[in-house]
Amino acid sequence: EDADSKISMLGSELEQALADFVPMISREGYFISSLFGLDAKQGDNDAVKKRKVESVCGCIHVGTGVVEEGLNLLAGVGGNEVLSNLVGSLKFGESMKKLGEEGGQTFSRDVLRKMKERTDKVWEGWVEDQVAWVEEGHGIPYNGKRAGVFGSFSRFPTLLDRIISNIGKDVAGSEGIVGGIVKIGRALFSSLKSVVERESTDKQYASNVVVLENCNFFITSIRKREGGIGDCLNSLLEEAKVMFGKACDRYVKWAIKREFKGLYALFSNISRIRKDVGDDDVLIHCPRTTFARTIEKEAGGVEVKEKVGEIRKRMEKHMTEGSGGLDLVWEELGMALMKDYASFNRTSGNIFNVKMDIGVSELGKILNAAGGDVRAVMRRRSGVERRSTSSR
């Protein structure tokens, strides 16, 4: 906090110093160029003009070197505090924009540009160090299980907050700073994909869970910082949403079919028979007694409660608390299971004239008791859909 307060003071100190310094450079440039006849003449070509400007700038750097060095030190050039360099880069850039194109102001711009380049190099070097650290993947389990939110992902919002608190939301207008932040963000997703794809990571569920948890954490963090710097990460935000959606679908299907394996195998077989021979001949290939026996075994009231409870326990074991993804995935799982169950109930009644013990309403209550109010989520979503339909 003490370091942050010093950095915030630095901005006003630099502004005051530059207000005194820039006019001095402009005067120096004007008098030196006039004294030595270095003013640009009408017949001068670009090479001659450039040589004259460089001569004047060289003289100015000699005359104002002490002041320049003081400003560089004030901006943190050569130090380890990257935020002070960012403040310096922004203030030097702002001063350059205020300068005109004539007289000594041309030379002031050259001096400021060189000072800005020095501060920018510090930021660029720091960004490269962060990218290298992200790519090393510190603290990620070999098999990816219970990895939770990676340390690199959890540190990213802190970086954004420090930049915003010390420099302000208008930092979004600085291409150099935004480019560095986006570069670190892209490194995060590159490292996430490499963990998912590496041979040692468990492909049964862990490869999906690491995507779910880290993408959800990223999405939640960026949404809290919408406006200014957060808006510069929209492309990464969209990428995170797509990755989360695909991983969620895969994990939900795996979790449901792992526990309801016999039930899904039964209705998958019936679906294939209906497609091959039509509804009238289904009972020839799958007798009613066989169907009823399987339904009683796999989808009885007690069995369904136990299976749903096991799914919830398994999900709680797979996911960590810090990511905030468990409830979201549970909602998706509940809606997927209820949708399939509604289809199973129709097939059971229409084809076999067998009533399943658990209806969709009862299943919603079981899911709610095990984890969350899935039916409330469905009502909320359907309400949104109805409103959007009516608005169209």
Side-chain angles (χ1 to χ4, degrees):
E1 197 172 306
D2 186 43
D4 286 350
S5 63
K6 288 180 181 178
I7 292 168
S8 62
M9 287 175 59
L10 169 65
S12 57
E13 291 174 358
L14 266 176
E15 283 181 6
Q16 184 58 52
L18 286 168
D20 298 332
F21 177 61
V22 172
M24 183 185 76
I25 297 176
S26 298
R27 287 194 299 273
E28 287 286 321
Y30 175 77
F31 286 121
I32 290 172
S33 59
S34 298
L35 181 64
F36 292 100
L38 295 174
D39 289 336
K41 296 177 182 177
Q42 193 168 0
D44 290 345
N45 58 35
D46 290 342
V48 173
K49 289 179 182 178
K50 182 180 179 183
R51 190 163 59 250
K52 288 184 175 182
V53 169
E54 287 174 350
S55 298
V56 174
C57 287
C59 294
I60 291 173
H61 284 303
V62 172
T64 61
V66 175
V67 182
E68 282 183 45
E69 192 59 32
L71 281 170
N72 282 326
L73 290 172
L74 188 60
V77 174
N80 295 322
E81 181 48 71
V82 68
L83 286 176
S84 62
N85 282 272
L86 291 184
V87 173
S89 176
L90 285 174
K91 296 304 177 184
F92 294 153
E94 288 171 3
S95 292
M96 287 169 64
K97 290 177 182 178
K98 295 174 184 177
L99 295 172
E101 297 290 341
E102 299 176 355
Q105 294 189 15
T106 302
F107 311 115
S108 296
R109 182 180 292 102
D110 181 76
V111 173
L112 289 170
R113 177 179 56 78
K114 289 180 179 178
M115 289 196 293
K116 186 177 185 303
E117 285 173 357
R118 291 181 67 182
T119 55
D120 288 345
K121 282 181 181 178
V122 176
W123 167 245
E124 289 164 6
W126 185 83
V127 167
E128 291 299 330
D129 290 342
Q130 300 310 300
V131 169
W133 182 80
V134 167
E135 289 172 347
E136 288 173 4
H138 294 284
I140 301 172
Y142 185 69
N143 59 7
K145 294 181 178 180
R146 292 286 295 174
V149 178
F150 298 169
S152 53
F153 272 82
S154 64
R155 276 177 53 168
F156 191 65
T158 306
L159 165 64
L160 299 182
D161 289 342
R162 284 208 70 194
I163 290 176
I164 292 170
S165 64
N166 286 290
I167 300 176
K169 289 189 176 182
D170 58 347
V171 71
S174 171
E175 291 184 10
I177 297 176
V178 170
I181 292 170
V182 171
K183 190 171 186 177
I184 297 172
R186 292 202 180 282
L188 292 177
F189 286 93
S190 178
S191 70
L192 176 59
K193 290 173 184 175
S194 68
V195 170
V196 170
E197 293 168 0
R198 71 187 184 189
E199 196 173 327
S200 63
T201 300
D202 171 74
K203 298 298 187 292
Q204 195 175 38
Y205 70 86
S207 58
N208 290 318
V209 172
V210 293
V211 173
L212 288 172
E213 296 200 288
N214 285 282
C215 285
N216 183 65
F217 179 84
F218 184 86
I219 292 167
T220 304
S221 300
I222 299 306
R223 280 178 174 167
K224 289 178 181 177
R225 294 160 179 83
E226 287 181 336
I229 200 168
D231 293 345
C232 301
L233 299 166
N234 282 338
S235 61
L236 290 175
L237 187 62
E238 292 304 313
E239 183 178 353
K241 289 177 183 177
V242 171
M243 289 177 67
F244 178 88
K246 290 180 178 178
C248 187
D249 288 343
R250 290 192 295 266
Y251 181 77
V252 162
K253 288 176 182 176
W254 171 81
I256 292 173
K257 291 181 179 180
R258 186 187 190 282
E259 203 61 45
F260 288 90
K261 187 176 180 179
L263 187 66
Y264 274 79
L266 173 65
F267 281 97
S268 177
N269 184 47
I270 291 169
S271 178
R272 181 183 57 79
I273 293 170
R274 294 176 71 182
K275 186 177 179 181
D276 291 343
V277 302
D279 291 356
D280 294 339
D281 293 334
V282 170
L283 292 173
I284 298 173
H285 299 275
C286 181
R288 184 176 182 276
T289 53
T290 303
F291 176 84
R293 188 166 56 249
T294 305
I295 287 295
E296 184 180 357
K297 178 184 176 183
E298 297 289 337
V302 175
E303 287 76 14
V304 170
K305 287 181 182 178
E306 290 177 352
K307 290 177 187 293
V308 169
E310 285 301 315
I311 292 175
R312 178 69 186 193
K313 287 179 186 176
R314 193 173 292 114
M315 286 179 64
E316 290 174 352
K317 182 180 177 182
H318 292 167
M319 298 189 189
T320 56
E321 208 170 314
S323 71
L326 177 60
D327 290 338
L328 278 175
V329 179
W330 183 251
E331 290 172 2
E332 296 294 334
L333 183 142
M335 288 186 290
L337 185 57
M338 291 174 72
K339 181 181 176 181
D340 289 343
Y341 225 78
S343 175
F344 295 163
N345 268 280
R346 287 194 298 272
T347 302
S348 180
N350 295 339
I351 303 296
F352 297 94
N353 197 25
V354 172
K355 184 179 180 182
M356 296 175 70
D357 285 357
I358 298 292
V360 175
S361 178
E362 290 83 356
L363 178 60
K365 293 176 182 177
I366 293 171
L367 287 161
N368 182 29
D373 192 349
V374 178
R375 293 188 66 81
V377 175
M378 292 185 72
R379 287 195 300 272
R380 186 167 66 248
R381 290 195 177 184
S382 63
V384 171
E385 288 173 6
R386 283 196 296 272
R387 286 195 296 273
S388 62
T389 303
S390 62
S391 64
R392 288 197 294 269

